[in-house]
Amino acid sequence: MQKGHDDRAMDKTGVVASKRSAGILLFRRRSGQLEVLLGHMGGPFWARKDDGAWSIPKGEIDPDEDQLAAARREFAEELGLAVPDGKLIELGEVKQSGGKFVTAWALEADLDPERVVTGTYEMECPPKSGKRASFPVLVRVEWF
């Protein structure tokens, strides 16, 4: 696949292929309350935002990769920790407003956000400058 003008993947016929992601949502029970673990996305676009900037650890599925394997890989890449042991609950798939499809699983487990060592990504910044910069995938991880 090659990239289109808006960075979406195109197949060899030039048809834009929908991006697909997979992720794992950790949840726990505290004092009768259900809490979920979310991460605040990093990078310049999200730096001064809060609404819509929180997400489950997720990422794109590589071609020919199993969705659950991708979810486990992305969890480890984004949080720097292995997926805790436990029974995964398939949550299904949603289509985000930008057209990306996300498949997710839930897992009841506890995780200390202080142990997270987030991965990084590189991008051109500022846009069209020819300069590349590295940013953390997540800047904060918290229970909600």
Side-chain angles (χ1 to χ4, degrees):
M1 294 213 167
Q2 62 184 13
K3 297 286 184 173
H5 72 282
D6 59 358
D7 213 32
R8 291 185 290 174
M10 291 191 313
D11 67 17
K12 60 186 171 199
T13 66
V15 174
V16 175
S18 297
K19 287 189 176 183
R20 303 187 82 74
S21 289
I24 297 175
L25 172 66
L26 288 190
F27 69 96
R28 69 182 185 184
R29 301 167 204 273
R30 289 286 164 114
S31 304
Q33 295 289 321
L34 189 65
E35 296 181 336
V36 295
L37 187 75
L38 300 175
H40 187 286
M41 293 181 267
F45 179 78
W46 300 104
R48 291 180 178 80
K49 295 183 171 124
D50 196 55
D51 290 347
W54 293 88
S55 179
I56 68 172
K58 68 177 182 343
E60 287 189 33
I61 302 168
D62 291 333
D64 302 321
E65 184 179 24
D66 175 75
Q67 292 181 356
L68 182 53
R72 288 180 173 280
R73 174 182 51 77
E74 288 293 336
F75 185 96
E77 286 178 8
E78 292 198 0
L79 301 180
L81 301 167
V83 175
D85 291 333
K87 182 182 177 202
L88 289 163
I89 304 162
E90 190 169 353
L91 297 176
E93 180 180 81
V94 297
K95 183 177 181 183
Q96 295 181 321
S97 60
K100 180 187 285 187
F101 290 90
V102 179
T103 302
W105 288 262
L107 174 64
E108 186 169 9
D110 203 353
L111 184 146
D112 180 359
E114 295 294 319
R115 292 185 48 228
V116 170
V117 180
T118 187
T120 60
Y121 69 97
E122 193 176 279
M123 65 179 271
E124 187 176 27
C125 187
K128 300 179 183 176
S129 67
K131 297 177 184 175
R132 301 204 55 84
S134 183
F135 300 96
V137 174
L138 302 172
V139 291
R140 289 190 346 245
V141 176
E142 295 181 25
W143 288 98
F144 292 89

